[in-house]
Every structure is written in C-alpha cells, then in structure tokens.
Amino acid sequence: MSAESSEKEIRYVGVKENLAYGFANAGQVFGYNLVAGGYLSLFFTKVFGIPEQAVAVMIFVLGIWDTVNDPLMGSLIDKTRTRFGKLRPYLMIVPIPLSIATIMLFAGPEILADAKSTTIKIIYMYISYFIWEFFYTIGDVPFWGLSTAISPSTADRTRAISSARFISGLLGGLSTTLLPVMMDFTNNGVWNLTLSHDFLILAVIAGTVGMGLFSLAGYKTKERVVQTIKEPSVLDGFKVMFKNKPLMLIIIGNVLGTLTGLAGVFQTYYYSEVLNLSSAVLWINLPGTIFGFLTYLLIPKLKEKLDNRQIVMLNVICRFVVSTLVFFAGLGFYRTNIVVISILLMVQNFIFSFFNTINSVIPTEMIGDTVDYMEWKTGERNEGVSFSVLTFVGKLTGSVSTSIGTALLPVIGLSFTTNSEGLQVAVKGENTDLYIWALFTIVPYVLGLLTLIPYAFYNLTGKRLAVIRKEMAERRSALASEVSSGGGSDEQ
C-alpha cells in the first residue's frame, strides 16, 4: 500500500452534501467551459470580428491581472470570520452577479451588431471580460477552498473533489458538447441562427440554470475544519504562501505546464477550420468521456500503489508519449481521411481520459495537503491563499494558452475576413493545417515535460505526510474544544 494511506477515518460528509457540492461545480463549469474550453479565441475573432492581435493582448493583459487578483481574493477569504464560516458567505452572494457577467460577456456581438468601430468592440471585450473574471474569482477561490474545509478527513475530501469533478464532467461539459453541434447547424443552414446566437443561448443557460446550481455550494454545504480565531493580515497571507515550499513547487510546476493548454485552443481550430466539422469532437471524445467517468472508481486503487507526486509525473510522461505517437501516425491523414484520424484521436482521448480524471482530483488534493502542512508548521490555515493558486493557475493556463494561441494565428497563416454576405470566413496559408495539427497534438505535451522539474523536488508524501496528518488530527481535536462553534457546527 502507498505510504500515504492511513487508518480508517470518520466520515463527516454525507451523500447529499457531496451531491450538492458536485452539482454546484457542474453549474459553475457549464459557463466556465464557454470561456476556457478553447472557444473564447474563436468567439472573439470569428464571431465578434475582433483582430487576432487585439484578442491576444487583452487575454494576456488580464491574465497578468490574475497574478494579483486571485491571491488578493485568497487573503481576503482567510481574513473572513462569520457565523457561516469564511468560505460559504462568498458562495452565497456571487452567483447572481456572475450570472449577469456571463450573459453580458457573450452578448457583445448582439449589443454591438450595428457598430462600425472595431475600437468599441475591443473596449466592450475588455470591460465584459474583466467583470466576468472578477466575479468568477470571487466564486472559484472559496469553492475549492471548501474542498479542504468541508472535512478534516482526507477520504472525505477525495470524495468531495471526485464528486465535483465527476458531476461537472457529466453536466458542466454539456456547454462544449452542445456548442459544436449548434455551430454546425448554423454553418450548414439547419436553423436560422447565427454563431453569435449559439454562444448567447448557452450563456443564458449558464447564467440562469448554471448559477442556480452553483448557489448550492453556499447553502447546502458546511465548513467543518476549525479555523484559528486570529485573523491574518493580507501581508501575512502572502508570506505564508511563499514560505510554503510544497505549495511553491506545485505553483512552479503548474506555471511551467500552462502551455499544454494550447491543445485545447487548437483543438477548436482543428475541428472547425481543418476538418470543417466542429461536432466531430463529440464522437471522437465520446469513448474517452465514458471511460473517464469510470476512472473515478480507480483513484482509490491507484493511490494504494502510488503517491500523489508519482501519479502527477506519470500523467505528464504518458501524455507526451501518446501525443507524439498520434502526431506522427496522423501526418498522412490529418486533413484527408476523417475515419482514420477519428480512430487515432479516439485512442488518444481514451488514454488521456484516465489521466484527465486523475489530474482533476490529485492536484487539488495536494494543495489541501499543503494547507495542512502549513497549519502543522505555523498553527494557521490558509485555504484562501492556497486555493487561489489553484484557480489562478487554472485561469493562467487558459489565459496564456489562449493569448499565445491567438497570437500564433497570423504566424501560421490563419486569419478571418468578412465575405460578401457579411460572414466571417477563414483564410489559410499553404502549411496552416499542418501547424494546427502539430499545435493540437505534439507541441503542447513536449512543452509540458517542463512540469517534471519542480515535482522531482516535491517531498510532501509518504511517511512524512502520514505523520503530519496524524498530528493535525490530534491538534484539531484539542482546538475544537476551545472554539465556541465546534468542529461540526454550521456556525463559527
């Protein structure tokens, strides 16, 4: 058995609460996937008609803002002390403004349908994306912080994270399942809707149904890990983050791995501009999607054999090997034989689905371990600052990959122009399709090998982690008796 395994723990979180947490994530992810699922670049360039360079700069600039925005939000959360806890109050408030921001982000082409000035479109893009990003951060940081505060039991945390990832994969992914089908219907004249209508319809669903589900995180969960009475200052929060060596190694590893997000960006362009069939992604991903859900059941067994660090490193290596084989195997077919290329990509996604599932659970759990580590070391918990790293890196991956990917479009010879019917159509160079194929398959995962460097030094595993968990369980038991709310109360 893995050295990270421990004796049987008390179960605090029931099925209903796990389901509430999972459905909340599904509601949040439904809208998030429209932004970070590889379609944002296509939306701004092809649908909204904004120049590629302007989109790339905007996403890069606001990505830099995230380096400050997320940790600041995390520090504010760590200072919060209310009768509902320090995380749930934000989850109760944010769904409504985030709902409006999501709809407005994708309403630009309709609101400015008659606008002649590209500058006005760019200004609207900056403002709407900034507001969406601001409210998304207010919800996402406390949501993932809750995965650690929901229970002192590591098994409970794994179940909560797995529930969130599983249900969000099942329901939250519907937005990026429906969108390519709707785009094909529009492009082939099946219905009298434009591409801007397709995006806006899904944004309205995300803003209403999705945010309704997201509110479950605030109203149907509990914070059970007792917080220290002392409120840390914002500066203290940042100091703790930089003193947390395991967390810093995770940050560095994830930052080095941000360019793997290029695969998602160029997947969108590959299906829409090379194969000219956006919905092909659905049947190609279907076997992997089904298998991916089943792999949640394998996580406990895998953790018996390998520690979290080994699992993450295995993930990186296997993605590189598989993507390299697919790239070379598909060189003769990537734009001429959809049957052969579908089989190749199905095999790749089937294998990737196992590691995608693992990757959606294990890194989140590892950040929870670093929170426990700093509590063990300093006596203070910093879910806010620590999990702001998770949300920051997730958004950084999307921002950097989307910004660089969009900036690469003119370099690889892809641009969009308005035809005589007022529609945006693609203009491609001689080797554009090959470049898109490479940036969709092999290039992101070669760059992803850099992630291995910091994880080689990560040592919050094995017996060391087991000792920390045992000592923290004893400390929490003692601390609970000193705090009036108690560990399992809804009030703090």
Side-chain angles (χ1 to χ4, degrees), residues 186-382:
T186 294
N187 291 331
N188 293 302
V190 175
W191 58 25
N192 191 28
L193 294 176
T194 65
L195 290 176
S196 66
H197 291 149
D198 297 336
F199 277 92
L200 183 56
I201 288 169
L202 290 176
V204 170
I205 295 173
T208 53
V209 179
M211 288 302 102
L213 290 174
F214 187 43
S215 66
L216 293 174
Y219 291 98
K220 297 296 181 181
T221 63
K222 295 181 180 180
E223 294 181 39
R224 293 177 175 83
V225 176
V226 182
Q227 302 292 333
T228 55
I229 297 174
K230 178 186 175 183
E231 296 181 14
S233 67
V234 172
L235 183 60
D236 287 339
F238 278 93
K239 286 181 178 178
V240 167
M241 182 175 69
F242 286 108
K243 289 179 181 178
N244 191 334
K245 180 183 175 182
L247 179 61
M248 293 305 298
L249 288 172
I250 292 174
I251 294 173
I252 295 170
N254 288 347
V255 169
L256 290 175
T258 54
L259 291 180
T260 57
L262 285 171
V265 175
F266 283 96
Q267 169 184 275
T268 301
Y269 287 106
Y270 176 71
Y271 288 121
S272 68
E273 309 305 331
V274 179
L275 293 185
N276 295 312
L277 189 62
S278 297
S279 58
V281 68
L282 301 182
W283 73 70
I284 289 174
N285 286 353
L286 182 60
T289 300
I290 295 172
F291 181 62
F293 292 136
L294 298 177
T295 58
Y296 283 97
L297 302 175
L298 302 178
I299 292 177
K301 294 295 182 183
L302 183 64
K303 286 171 64 64
E304 290 178 2
K305 304 296 182 182
L306 302 171
D307 63 42
N308 286 341
R309 181 188 71 129
Q310 292 168 334
I311 293 171
V312 169
M313 296 179 77
L314 179 65
N315 177 16
V316 173
I317 294 170
C318 287
R319 284 169 179 264
F320 162 71
V321 172
V322 172
S323 64
T324 300
L325 293 174
V326 167
F327 170 74
F328 286 107
L331 273 178
F333 310 100
Y334 64 89
R335 63 180 173 182
T336 60
N337 193 323
I338 195 170
V339 175
V340 173
I341 209 66
S342 292
I343 293 172
L344 272 176
L345 293 176
M346 278 183 182
V347 172
Q348 173 182 278
N349 290 331
F350 187 83
I351 297 171
F352 274 17
S353 66
F354 175 73
F355 293 103
N356 288 341
T357 299
I358 299 302
N359 202 43
S360 69
V361 174
I362 299 302
T364 308
E365 186 178 302
M366 291 174 75
I367 292 178
D369 290 338
T370 70
V371 175
D372 289 344
Y373 166 74
M374 287 308 291
E375 183 183 7
W376 172 77
K377 186 175 179 180
T378 68
E380 296 183 5
R381 292 186 63 81
N382 299 90

Side-chain angles (χ1 to χ4, degrees), residues 107-123:
E110 294 301 310
I111 294 174
L112 298 177
D114 297 324
K116 304 298 182 182
S117 170
T118 301
T119 303
I120 298 227
K121 292 182 179 181
I122 293 174
I123 292 172

Side-chain angles (χ1 to χ4, degrees), residues 134-149:
F134 175 76
F135 286 114
Y136 183 82
T137 298
I138 293 175
D140 201 43
V141 174
F143 179 83
W144 289 112
L146 187 61
S147 69
T148 295

Side-chain angles (χ1 to χ4, degrees), residues 447-475:
L447 296 173
L449 291 174
L450 293 171
T451 306
L452 296 172
I453 298 172
Y455 276 103
F457 299 95
Y458 184 88
N459 64 355
L460 192 57
T461 59
K463 293 182 179 179
R464 184 176 185 226
L465 182 57
V467 168
I468 290 173
R469 286 173 173 171
K470 182 179 179 181
E471 292 186 8
M472 285 314 306
E474 295 170 353
R475 288 190 199 177

